Amino acid sequence: MSFSLYPPSLADAHTWSFTTSSIQDPSRAYTFDMVLIKLNPTVGATDAVASSKHSAVLHRHLDTTFLNMTRSEGNFLILEDDRKIFDASGGAAVGCLGWGDQRVAQAVTNQVLAAPYCATIFYTTRVQEELCRDLVQSTNGAMARAYIVNSGSEAMEAAVKLARQYFLEIDQPQRTRFISRKQSYHGITLGALSVGGHEVRRAKFEPLLIKNVSRVSPCNAFRGKAPGESDEEYAERLAKELDDEFQQVGPENVCAFVAEPIVGAALGCVPAVKGYFKAVRDVCDKYGALLILDEVMCGMGRSGTLHAWEQEGIVPDIQTIGKALGGGYQPVAGLLAGHRVVNALEKGSSVFVHGHTYQGHPAACAAALEVQRIVREENLLSNVRAMGDLLSSRLREILASHPNVGDIRGRGLFWGIEFVADKENMAPFPSEDHVCMEICQLGLTDKYGINVYPGGGSVDGITGDHIIISPAFNISREDVEWIAATVGRLVSDYFAAKAGTQ
């Protein structure tokens, strides 16, 4: 079953297959079929811009027709044919103010005219200093310094290297290992991919990835809790698994444990049970390892507090941020380092052996600084919490009883819906059904006009389908009601058609 992004006159279905293997068992091979859109060589000049075979762009898929977005306004993405798509996911949980905010655009323009670039080996800028001070102060003194880059993957690369250098600074050079979690995603570059557990994205590059990373189970109550097990017992069991892994690899060899407070793309907005992060913080402290929290997707207000760790009662040693930091107005992400790490660096070499040509980019810093000012001054986190409560209640009212909806979970304005083939045993659909992608493609058609974000592998890294709903922080009650109703129609209609009842 597939849905074209364009009318039948412009495209027809095409299937692309690839084979990968499992991290846990390389002998297990999986074949995936992704329904793409076959190109029509007669498309016009403007359509050719969006058609990969006519494009000079190395697109994500080279045999796909992409919708041509010409502008965006408020919550809407506007296509070349003037159709409007309601952006209910903020792209990949990026947009936090909606689109076309003139205040942010003006702040970026002013900075570009004043000083568009800074070679940070020699100089700093007022806007970088202000942004980093703003970020540090937002942690109420918990973190000491910030480091600004251009993507979440870059931020995680920096976090891994900073963790390693911390132990060199305190004369523990044997610490070279990292522990992360299965079904996690921390970025697409080699270092970030190495500490992640996203099987499909790792598969082709497995021989290139660093081998000093091991993984433990994620904290996923829907899939991981045993029957009759309490949240407290579940958290204790996972903490023991982590402790056992430290013992297995040698606690004196571990740099850090890496985790997302709310797992985004890999699991679909799965928060930890109460007490889990306090327990893993204790394990890290027991063995002198660092705790790195990846908040690129779930942080900077997305979950209802500026930093997701504020809801867990703990503080990380290193934190990565991105996406809602700049709200999509510039490519910007960053790293926050705690006092323990910064003090060691200051008392040691005083040099972080890492750098990028565009780190601390003035225009990116200007965008992030203005976005964060608006979030703070307009008290948007209060709206995130209120509208998040409304969104979750409406989604559950409409979809919780649906036979193909297994779980609805999240926090703030970061919600995931996991789909199942059989609600009795929560069995997933076969990966070759590409359920999540087809639902998202159907959402882009005129009948629904909504953008939600797809994700797969939520069961075992291969099977499992979910969608993410993560709208702008300033969304209205009316918009939330429309999103919930439209997602309800979308999901119901899709599975009715899949079952042949529509």
Side-chain angles (χ1 to χ4, degrees), residues 55-101:
S55 175
V57 177
L58 183 60
H59 283 288
R60 291 176 182 236
H61 301 297
L62 300 185
D63 195 19
T64 302
T65 297
F66 294 92
L67 296 173
N68 194 347
M69 186 181 76
T70 56
R71 65 190 190 279
S72 50
E73 298 172 0
N75 289 310
F76 289 94
L77 309 175
I78 303 172
L79 307 182
E80 188 176 43
D81 59 4
D82 288 331
R83 285 195 296 131
K84 290 185 175 182
I85 305 292
F86 192 102
D87 190 359
S89 67
V94 173
C96 58
L97 299 181
W99 309 116
D101 192 297

mmCIF file of all heavy atoms in Angstrom, residues 55-101:
data_model
loop_
_atom_site.group_PDB
_atom_site.id
_atom_site.type_symbol
_atom_site.label_atom_id
_atom_site.label_comp_id
_atom_site.label_asym_id
_atom_site.label_seq_id
_atom_site.Cartn_x
_atom_site.Cartn_y
_atom_site.Cartn_z
ATOM 1 N N SER A 55 17.845 16.820 -10.548
ATOM 2 C CA SER A 55 18.423 17.756 -9.595
ATOM 3 C C SER A 55 19.933 17.604 -9.498
ATOM 4 O O SER A 55 20.486 16.522 -9.717
ATOM 5 C CB SER A 55 17.808 17.511 -8.205
ATOM 6 O OG SER A 55 18.417 18.315 -7.230
ATOM 7 N N ALA A 56 20.605 18.701 -9.152
ATOM 8 C CA ALA A 56 22.032 18.655 -8.852
ATOM 9 C C ALA A 56 22.277 18.362 -7.375
ATOM 10 O O ALA A 56 23.418 18.243 -6.947
ATOM 11 C CB ALA A 56 22.685 19.988 -9.223
ATOM 12 N N VAL A 57 21.199 18.236 -6.601
ATOM 13 C CA VAL A 57 21.310 17.966 -5.168
ATOM 14 C C VAL A 57 21.494 16.469 -4.935
ATOM 15 O O VAL A 57 20.802 15.650 -5.535
ATOM 16 C CB VAL A 57 20.047 18.446 -4.422
ATOM 17 C CG1 VAL A 57 20.130 18.102 -2.935
ATOM 18 C CG2 VAL A 57 19.857 19.945 -4.610
ATOM 19 N N LEU A 58 22.426 16.108 -4.060
ATOM 20 C CA LEU A 58 22.543 14.729 -3.620
ATOM 21 C C LEU A 58 21.490 14.519 -2.537
ATOM 22 O O LEU A 58 21.752 14.626 -1.341
ATOM 23 C CB LEU A 58 23.939 14.431 -3.079
ATOM 24 C CG LEU A 58 24.209 12.985 -2.646
ATOM 25 C CD1 LEU A 58 24.038 12.018 -3.811
ATOM 26 C CD2 LEU A 58 25.597 12.853 -2.036
ATOM 27 N N HIS A 59 20.257 14.260 -2.975
ATOM 28 C CA HIS A 59 19.141 14.109 -2.052
ATOM 29 C C HIS A 59 19.287 12.845 -1.210
ATOM 30 O O HIS A 59 20.065 11.951 -1.528
ATOM 31 C CB HIS A 59 17.820 14.050 -2.827
ATOM 32 C CG HIS A 59 17.343 15.376 -3.321
ATOM 33 N ND1 HIS A 59 16.839 16.344 -2.482
ATOM 34 C CD2 HIS A 59 17.302 15.901 -4.579
ATOM 35 C CE1 HIS A 59 16.486 17.403 -3.194
ATOM 36 N NE2 HIS A 59 16.759 17.166 -4.472
ATOM 37 N N ARG A 60 18.479 12.752 -0.165
ATOM 38 C CA ARG A 60 18.458 11.557 0.684
ATOM 39 C C ARG A 60 18.113 10.320 -0.123
ATOM 40 O O ARG A 60 18.618 9.231 0.154
ATOM 41 C CB ARG A 60 17.437 11.727 1.814
ATOM 42 C CG ARG A 60 17.835 12.771 2.847
ATOM 43 C CD ARG A 60 16.743 12.956 3.877
ATOM 44 N NE ARG A 60 17.109 13.981 4.840
ATOM 45 C CZ ARG A 60 17.163 13.790 6.161
ATOM 46 N NH1 ARG A 60 16.883 12.605 6.661
ATOM 47 N NH2 ARG A 60 17.491 14.770 6.976
ATOM 48 N N HIS A 61 17.221 10.469 -1.089
ATOM 49 C CA HIS A 61 16.864 9.381 -1.999
ATOM 50 C C HIS A 61 16.948 9.929 -3.417
ATOM 51 O O HIS A 61 16.431 11.004 -3.710
ATOM 52 C CB HIS A 61 15.454 8.864 -1.727
ATOM 53 C CG HIS A 61 15.266 8.356 -0.333
ATOM 54 N ND1 HIS A 61 15.950 7.284 0.163
ATOM 55 C CD2 HIS A 61 14.470 8.792 0.680
ATOM 56 C CE1 HIS A 61 15.593 7.074 1.423
ATOM 57 N NE2 HIS A 61 14.698 7.980 1.760
ATOM 58 N N LEU A 62 17.594 9.178 -4.284
ATOM 59 C CA LEU A 62 17.884 9.692 -5.623
ATOM 60 C C LEU A 62 16.841 9.288 -6.656
ATOM 61 O O LEU A 62 16.998 9.598 -7.834
ATOM 62 C CB LEU A 62 19.275 9.226 -6.057
ATOM 63 C CG LEU A 62 20.421 9.691 -5.151
ATOM 64 C CD1 LEU A 62 21.765 9.273 -5.735
ATOM 65 C CD2 LEU A 62 20.374 11.200 -4.930
ATOM 66 N N ASP A 63 15.803 8.599 -6.242
ATOM 67 C CA ASP A 63 14.772 8.186 -7.175
ATOM 68 C C ASP A 63 13.398 8.580 -6.638
ATOM 69 O O ASP A 63 12.434 7.829 -6.715
ATOM 70 C CB ASP A 63 14.839 6.668 -7.394
ATOM 71 C CG ASP A 63 14.053 6.229 -8.617
ATOM 72 O OD1 ASP A 63 13.767 7.087 -9.473
ATOM 73 O OD2 ASP A 63 13.724 5.033 -8.714
ATOM 74 N N THR A 64 13.341 9.775 -6.062
ATOM 75 C CA THR A 64 12.136 10.226 -5.365
ATOM 76 C C THR A 64 11.748 11.618 -5.822
ATOM 77 O O THR A 64 12.608 12.449 -6.105
ATOM 78 C CB THR A 64 12.388 10.263 -3.838
ATOM 79 O OG1 THR A 64 12.764 8.962 -3.408
ATOM 80 C CG2 THR A 64 11.163 10.722 -3.075
ATOM 81 N N THR A 65 10.469 11.865 -5.896
ATOM 82 C CA THR A 65 9.964 13.204 -6.149
ATOM 83 C C THR A 65 9.632 13.857 -4.815
ATOM 84 O O THR A 65 8.844 13.316 -4.036
ATOM 85 C CB THR A 65 8.708 13.176 -7.031
ATOM 86 O OG1 THR A 65 9.060 12.638 -8.301
ATOM 87 C CG2 THR A 65 8.145 14.580 -7.223
ATOM 88 N N PHE A 66 10.230 14.986 -4.539
ATOM 89 C CA PHE A 66 9.996 15.695 -3.293
ATOM 90 C C PHE A 66 9.008 16.839 -3.508
ATOM 91 O O PHE A 66 9.024 17.493 -4.550
ATOM 92 C CB PHE A 66 11.310 16.263 -2.741
ATOM 93 C CG PHE A 66 12.287 15.216 -2.319
ATOM 94 C CD1 PHE A 66 13.244 14.745 -3.198
ATOM 95 C CD2 PHE A 66 12.247 14.698 -1.043
ATOM 96 C CE1 PHE A 66 14.149 13.774 -2.818
ATOM 97 C CE2 PHE A 66 13.142 13.722 -0.640
ATOM 98 C CZ PHE A 66 14.097 13.259 -1.527
ATOM 99 N N LEU A 67 8.181 17.072 -2.525
ATOM 100 C CA LEU A 67 7.311 18.241 -2.566
ATOM 101 C C LEU A 67 8.176 19.501 -2.554
ATOM 102 O O LEU A 67 9.133 19.598 -1.789
ATOM 103 C CB LEU A 67 6.377 18.247 -1.365
ATOM 104 C CG LEU A 67 5.374 17.089 -1.287
ATOM 105 C CD1 LEU A 67 4.639 17.124 0.035
ATOM 106 C CD2 LEU A 67 4.392 17.153 -2.434
ATOM 107 N N ASN A 68 7.833 20.459 -3.382
ATOM 108 C CA ASN A 68 8.622 21.684 -3.496
ATOM 109 C C ASN A 68 8.010 22.758 -2.593
ATOM 110 O O ASN A 68 6.980 23.352 -2.916
ATOM 111 C CB ASN A 68 8.650 22.151 -4.951
ATOM 112 C CG ASN A 68 9.724 23.201 -5.191
ATOM 113 O OD1 ASN A 68 10.289 23.750 -4.251
ATOM 114 N ND2 ASN A 68 10.010 23.464 -6.461
ATOM 115 N N MET A 69 8.647 22.995 -1.461
ATOM 116 C CA MET A 69 8.166 23.997 -0.519
ATOM 117 C C MET A 69 8.773 25.347 -0.885
ATOM 118 O O MET A 69 9.988 25.482 -1.005
ATOM 119 C CB MET A 69 8.571 23.620 0.907
ATOM 120 C CG MET A 69 7.983 24.531 1.967
ATOM 121 S SD MET A 69 8.522 24.064 3.632
ATOM 122 C CE MET A 69 10.196 24.692 3.626
ATOM 123 N N THR A 70 7.918 26.346 -1.070
ATOM 124 C CA THR A 70 8.405 27.654 -1.495
ATOM 125 C C THR A 70 8.476 28.670 -0.360
ATOM 126 O O THR A 70 9.264 29.607 -0.409
ATOM 127 C CB THR A 70 7.502 28.228 -2.605
ATOM 128 O OG1 THR A 70 6.149 28.285 -2.131
ATOM 129 C CG2 THR A 70 7.567 27.340 -3.840
ATOM 130 N N ARG A 71 7.640 28.498 0.658
ATOM 131 C CA ARG A 71 7.693 29.406 1.803
ATOM 132 C C ARG A 71 6.961 28.764 2.979
ATOM 133 O O ARG A 71 6.325 27.723 2.831
ATOM 134 C CB ARG A 71 7.076 30.763 1.460
ATOM 135 C CG ARG A 71 5.595 30.749 1.152
ATOM 136 C CD ARG A 71 5.136 32.091 0.589
ATOM 137 N NE ARG A 71 3.685 32.202 0.504
ATOM 138 C CZ ARG A 71 2.948 31.688 -0.470
ATOM 139 N NH1 ARG A 71 3.539 31.020 -1.450
ATOM 140 N NH2 ARG A 71 1.642 31.860 -0.476
ATOM 141 N N SER A 72 7.078 29.391 4.126
ATOM 142 C CA SER A 72 6.370 28.890 5.310
ATOM 143 C C SER A 72 5.905 30.079 6.130
ATOM 144 O O SER A 72 6.607 31.086 6.240
ATOM 145 C CB SER A 72 7.274 27.978 6.130
ATOM 146 O OG SER A 72 8.531 28.574 6.378
ATOM 147 N N GLU A 73 4.725 29.958 6.694
ATOM 148 C CA GLU A 73 4.129 31.055 7.448
ATOM 149 C C GLU A 73 3.414 30.487 8.663
ATOM 150 O O GLU A 73 2.534 29.626 8.524
ATOM 151 C CB GLU A 73 3.123 31.828 6.586
ATOM 152 C CG GLU A 73 3.722 32.496 5.364
ATOM 153 C CD GLU A 73 2.657 33.095 4.444
ATOM 154 O OE1 GLU A 73 1.455 32.979 4.781
ATOM 155 O OE2 GLU A 73 3.033 33.654 3.399
ATOM 156 N N GLY A 74 3.765 30.955 9.848
ATOM 157 C CA GLY A 74 3.118 30.463 11.052
ATOM 158 C C GLY A 74 3.329 28.975 11.195
ATOM 159 O O GLY A 74 4.465 28.489 11.233
ATOM 160 N N ASN A 75 2.240 28.216 11.243
ATOM 161 C CA ASN A 75 2.340 26.763 11.359
ATOM 162 C C ASN A 75 2.259 26.050 10.016
ATOM 163 O O ASN A 75 2.219 24.814 9.986
ATOM 164 C CB ASN A 75 1.213 26.234 12.264
ATOM 165 C CG ASN A 75 1.426 26.615 13.719
ATOM 166 O OD1 ASN A 75 2.495 26.408 14.271
ATOM 167 N ND2 ASN A 75 0.407 27.182 14.338
ATOM 168 N N PHE A 76 2.258 26.804 8.926
ATOM 169 C CA PHE A 76 2.019 26.196 7.627
ATOM 170 C C PHE A 76 3.251 26.194 6.736
ATOM 171 O O PHE A 76 3.994 27.178 6.664
ATOM 172 C CB PHE A 76 0.876 26.911 6.904
ATOM 173 C CG PHE A 76 -0.470 26.647 7.506
ATOM 174 C CD1 PHE A 76 -1.005 27.514 8.446
ATOM 175 C CD2 PHE A 76 -1.187 25.516 7.152
ATOM 176 C CE1 PHE A 76 -2.237 27.267 9.014
ATOM 177 C CE2 PHE A 76 -2.435 25.258 7.710
ATOM 178 C CZ PHE A 76 -2.963 26.129 8.647
ATOM 179 N N LEU A 77 3.430 25.071 6.043
ATOM 180 C CA LEU A 77 4.395 24.944 4.955
ATOM 181 C C LEU A 77 3.609 25.116 3.663
ATOM 182 O O LEU A 77 2.592 24.448 3.457
ATOM 183 C CB LEU A 77 5.057 23.570 4.992
ATOM 184 C CG LEU A 77 5.644 23.135 6.344
ATOM 185 C CD1 LEU A 77 6.160 21.704 6.258
ATOM 186 C CD2 LEU A 77 6.732 24.095 6.801
ATOM 187 N N ILE A 78 4.074 26.003 2.796
ATOM 188 C CA ILE A 78 3.318 26.332 1.587
ATOM 189 C C ILE A 78 4.082 25.819 0.377
ATOM 190 O O ILE A 78 5.260 26.139 0.186
ATOM 191 C CB ILE A 78 3.068 27.843 1.491
ATOM 192 C CG1 ILE A 78 2.333 28.310 2.757
ATOM 193 C CG2 ILE A 78 2.253 28.176 0.242
ATOM 194 C CD1 ILE A 78 2.189 29.799 2.880
ATOM 195 N N LEU A 79 3.402 25.015 -0.421
ATOM 196 C CA LEU A 79 4.029 24.358 -1.556
ATOM 197 C C LEU A 79 3.946 25.216 -2.804
ATOM 198 O O LEU A 79 3.258 26.236 -2.842
ATOM 199 C CB LEU A 79 3.374 22.995 -1.792
ATOM 200 C CG LEU A 79 3.311 22.069 -0.578
ATOM 201 C CD1 LEU A 79 2.684 20.735 -0.976
ATOM 202 C CD2 LEU A 79 4.689 21.863 0.038
ATOM 203 N N GLU A 80 4.642 24.767 -3.832
ATOM 204 C CA GLU A 80 4.726 25.505 -5.091
ATOM 205 C C GLU A 80 3.349 25.732 -5.716
ATOM 206 O O GLU A 80 3.120 26.749 -6.367
ATOM 207 C CB GLU A 80 5.626 24.730 -6.054
ATOM 208 C CG GLU A 80 5.965 25.454 -7.336
ATOM 209 C CD GLU A 80 6.924 24.645 -8.173
ATOM 210 O OE1 GLU A 80 6.711 23.425 -8.282
ATOM 211 O OE2 GLU A 80 7.871 25.229 -8.711
ATOM 212 N N ASP A 81 2.434 24.774 -5.502
ATOM 213 C CA ASP A 81 1.091 24.912 -6.066
ATOM 214 C C ASP A 81 0.137 25.618 -5.106
ATOM 215 O O ASP A 81 -1.080 25.580 -5.288
ATOM 216 C CB ASP A 81 0.532 23.544 -6.452
ATOM 217 C CG ASP A 81 0.448 22.583 -5.267
ATOM 218 O OD1 ASP A 81 0.746 23.007 -4.133
ATOM 219 O OD2 ASP A 81 0.098 21.407 -5.481
ATOM 220 N N ASP A 82 0.694 26.255 -4.063
ATOM 221 C CA ASP A 82 -0.046 27.021 -3.044
ATOM 222 C C ASP A 82 -0.825 26.155 -2.066
ATOM 223 O O ASP A 82 -1.568 26.682 -1.230
ATOM 224 C CB ASP A 82 -0.994 28.048 -3.685
ATOM 225 C CG ASP A 82 -0.234 29.209 -4.301
ATOM 226 O OD1 ASP A 82 0.860 29.523 -3.791
ATOM 227 O OD2 ASP A 82 -0.725 29.778 -5.284
ATOM 228 N N ARG A 83 -0.648 24.843 -2.129
ATOM 229 C CA ARG A 83 -1.244 24.008 -1.086
ATOM 230 C C ARG A 83 -0.548 24.277 0.239
ATOM 231 O O ARG A 83 0.658 24.531 0.287
ATOM 232 C CB ARG A 83 -1.121 22.520 -1.437
ATOM 233 C CG ARG A 83 -2.086 22.075 -2.505
ATOM 234 C CD ARG A 83 -2.171 20.548 -2.557
ATOM 235 N NE ARG A 83 -0.902 19.938 -2.937
ATOM 236 C CZ ARG A 83 -0.341 18.929 -2.277
ATOM 237 N NH1 ARG A 83 -0.908 18.448 -1.201
ATOM 238 N NH2 ARG A 83 0.790 18.413 -2.706
ATOM 239 N N LYS A 84 -1.302 24.178 1.334
ATOM 240 C CA LYS A 84 -0.757 24.408 2.664
ATOM 241 C C LYS A 84 -0.744 23.104 3.458
ATOM 242 O O LYS A 84 -1.727 22.368 3.468
ATOM 243 C CB LYS A 84 -1.576 25.459 3.417
ATOM 244 C CG LYS A 84 -1.440 26.868 2.867
ATOM 245 C CD LYS A 84 -2.188 27.866 3.752
ATOM 246 C CE LYS A 84 -1.958 29.296 3.273
ATOM 247 N NZ LYS A 84 -2.661 30.270 4.166
ATOM 248 N N ILE A 85 0.379 22.853 4.115
ATOM 249 C CA ILE A 85 0.526 21.701 4.989
ATOM 250 C C ILE A 85 0.729 22.221 6.408
ATOM 251 O O ILE A 85 1.643 23.023 6.658
ATOM 252 C CB ILE A 85 1.734 20.828 4.588
ATOM 253 C CG1 ILE A 85 1.660 20.409 3.119
ATOM 254 C CG2 ILE A 85 1.852 19.626 5.524
ATOM 255 C CD1 ILE A 85 0.552 19.449 2.801
ATOM 256 N N PHE A 86 -0.105 21.787 7.338
ATOM 257 C CA PHE A 86 0.066 22.179 8.735
ATOM 258 C C PHE A 86 1.239 21.388 9.314
ATOM 259 O O PHE A 86 1.234 20.166 9.321
ATOM 260 C CB PHE A 86 -1.202 21.898 9.542
ATOM 261 C CG PHE A 86 -1.190 22.533 10.909
ATOM 262 C CD1 PHE A 86 -1.898 23.702 11.147
ATOM 263 C CD2 PHE A 86 -0.476 21.971 11.954
ATOM 264 C CE1 PHE A 86 -1.889 24.301 12.403
ATOM 265 C CE2 PHE A 86 -0.454 22.546 13.209
ATOM 266 C CZ PHE A 86 -1.166 23.716 13.439
ATOM 267 N N ASP A 87 2.236 22.103 9.805
ATOM 268 C CA ASP A 87 3.445 21.456 10.313
ATOM 269 C C ASP A 87 3.245 21.075 11.775
ATOM 270 O O ASP A 87 3.563 21.841 12.691
ATOM 271 C CB ASP A 87 4.645 22.386 10.156
ATOM 272 C CG ASP A 87 5.961 21.690 10.426
ATOM 273 O OD1 ASP A 87 5.923 20.485 10.752
ATOM 274 O OD2 ASP A 87 7.016 22.342 10.323
ATOM 275 N N ALA A 88 2.726 19.875 11.997
ATOM 276 C CA ALA A 88 2.430 19.418 13.358
ATOM 277 C C ALA A 88 3.611 18.729 14.018
ATOM 278 O O ALA A 88 3.495 18.247 15.145
ATOM 279 C CB ALA A 88 1.237 18.469 13.343
ATOM 280 N N SER A 89 4.755 18.710 13.337
ATOM 281 C CA SER A 89 5.948 18.103 13.936
ATOM 282 C C SER A 89 7.124 19.062 13.994
ATOM 283 O O SER A 89 8.193 18.689 14.476
ATOM 284 C CB SER A 89 6.353 16.844 13.159
ATOM 285 O OG SER A 89 6.802 17.180 11.862
ATOM 286 N N GLY A 90 6.941 20.292 13.494
ATOM 287 C CA GLY A 90 8.065 21.226 13.486
ATOM 288 C C GLY A 90 9.247 20.690 12.715
ATOM 289 O O GLY A 90 10.397 20.875 13.120
ATOM 290 N N GLY A 91 8.963 20.033 11.583
ATOM 291 C CA GLY A 91 10.027 19.316 10.878
ATOM 292 C C GLY A 91 10.375 18.091 11.700
ATOM 293 O O GLY A 91 9.538 17.246 11.964
ATOM 294 N N ALA A 92 11.628 18.003 12.152
ATOM 295 C CA ALA A 92 12.053 16.928 13.052
ATOM 296 C C ALA A 92 12.130 17.474 14.469
ATOM 297 O O ALA A 92 13.186 17.488 15.104
ATOM 298 C CB ALA A 92 13.400 16.375 12.607
ATOM 299 N N ALA A 93 10.988 17.981 14.975
ATOM 300 C CA ALA A 93 10.914 18.604 16.306
ATOM 301 C C ALA A 93 11.855 19.803 16.405
ATOM 302 O O ALA A 93 12.442 20.070 17.450
ATOM 303 C CB ALA A 93 11.212 17.584 17.409
ATOM 304 N N VAL A 94 11.966 20.534 15.303
ATOM 305 C CA VAL A 94 12.858 21.691 15.240
ATOM 306 C C VAL A 94 12.104 22.992 15.514
ATOM 307 O O VAL A 94 12.497 23.791 16.375
ATOM 308 C CB VAL A 94 13.547 21.771 13.858
ATOM 309 C CG1 VAL A 94 14.340 23.069 13.715
ATOM 310 C CG2 VAL A 94 14.455 20.568 13.650
ATOM 311 N N GLY A 95 11.032 23.231 14.767
ATOM 312 C CA GLY A 95 10.315 24.497 14.866
ATOM 313 C C GLY A 95 9.660 24.680 16.223
ATOM 314 O O GLY A 95 8.871 23.839 16.653
ATOM 315 N N CYS A 96 9.971 25.770 16.896
ATOM 316 C CA CYS A 96 9.375 26.027 18.209
ATOM 317 C C CYS A 96 8.581 27.339 18.240
ATOM 318 O O CYS A 96 7.770 27.546 19.148
ATOM 319 C CB CYS A 96 10.435 26.035 19.300
ATOM 320 S SG CYS A 96 11.752 27.244 19.079
ATOM 321 N N LEU A 97 8.795 28.212 17.255
ATOM 322 C CA LEU A 97 8.049 29.471 17.172
ATOM 323 C C LEU A 97 7.140 29.518 15.963
ATOM 324 O O LEU A 97 6.503 30.542 15.703
ATOM 325 C CB LEU A 97 9.008 30.661 17.095
ATOM 326 C CG LEU A 97 9.971 30.883 18.269
ATOM 327 C CD1 LEU A 97 10.820 32.129 18.019
ATOM 328 C CD2 LEU A 97 9.220 30.991 19.586
ATOM 329 N N GLY A 98 7.057 28.424 15.227
ATOM 330 C CA GLY A 98 6.421 28.499 13.926
ATOM 331 C C GLY A 98 7.390 29.132 12.944
ATOM 332 O O GLY A 98 8.573 29.331 13.244
ATOM 333 N N TRP A 99 6.889 29.480 11.780
ATOM 334 C CA TRP A 99 7.759 29.948 10.699
ATOM 335 C C TRP A 99 7.450 31.394 10.322
ATOM 336 O O TRP A 99 6.318 31.838 10.420
ATOM 337 C CB TRP A 99 7.618 29.032 9.489
ATOM 338 C CG TRP A 99 7.796 27.595 9.862
ATOM 339 C CD1 TRP A 99 6.858 26.598 9.786
ATOM 340 C CD2 TRP A 99 8.971 26.982 10.398
ATOM 341 N NE1 TRP A 99 7.371 25.407 10.228
ATOM 342 C CE2 TRP A 99 8.669 25.607 10.613
ATOM 343 C CE3 TRP A 99 10.244 27.452 10.725
ATOM 344 C CZ2 TRP A 99 9.595 24.708 11.134
ATOM 345 C CZ3 TRP A 99 11.172 26.552 11.246
ATOM 346 C CH2 TRP A 99 10.853 25.207 11.446
ATOM 347 N N GLY A 100 8.484 32.104 9.902
ATOM 348 C CA GLY A 100 8.315 33.473 9.437
ATOM 349 C C GLY A 100 8.319 34.518 10.537
ATOM 350 O O GLY A 100 7.790 35.619 10.343
ATOM 351 N N ASP A 101 8.919 34.226 11.683
ATOM 352 C CA ASP A 101 8.984 35.207 12.771
ATOM 353 C C ASP A 101 9.955 36.325 12.381
ATOM 354 O O ASP A 101 11.163 36.100 12.253
ATOM 355 C CB ASP A 101 9.437 34.541 14.071
ATOM 356 C CG ASP A 101 9.250 35.439 15.278
ATOM 357 O OD1 ASP A 101 9.896 36.510 15.327
ATOM 358 O OD2 ASP A 101 8.460 35.076 16.184
#
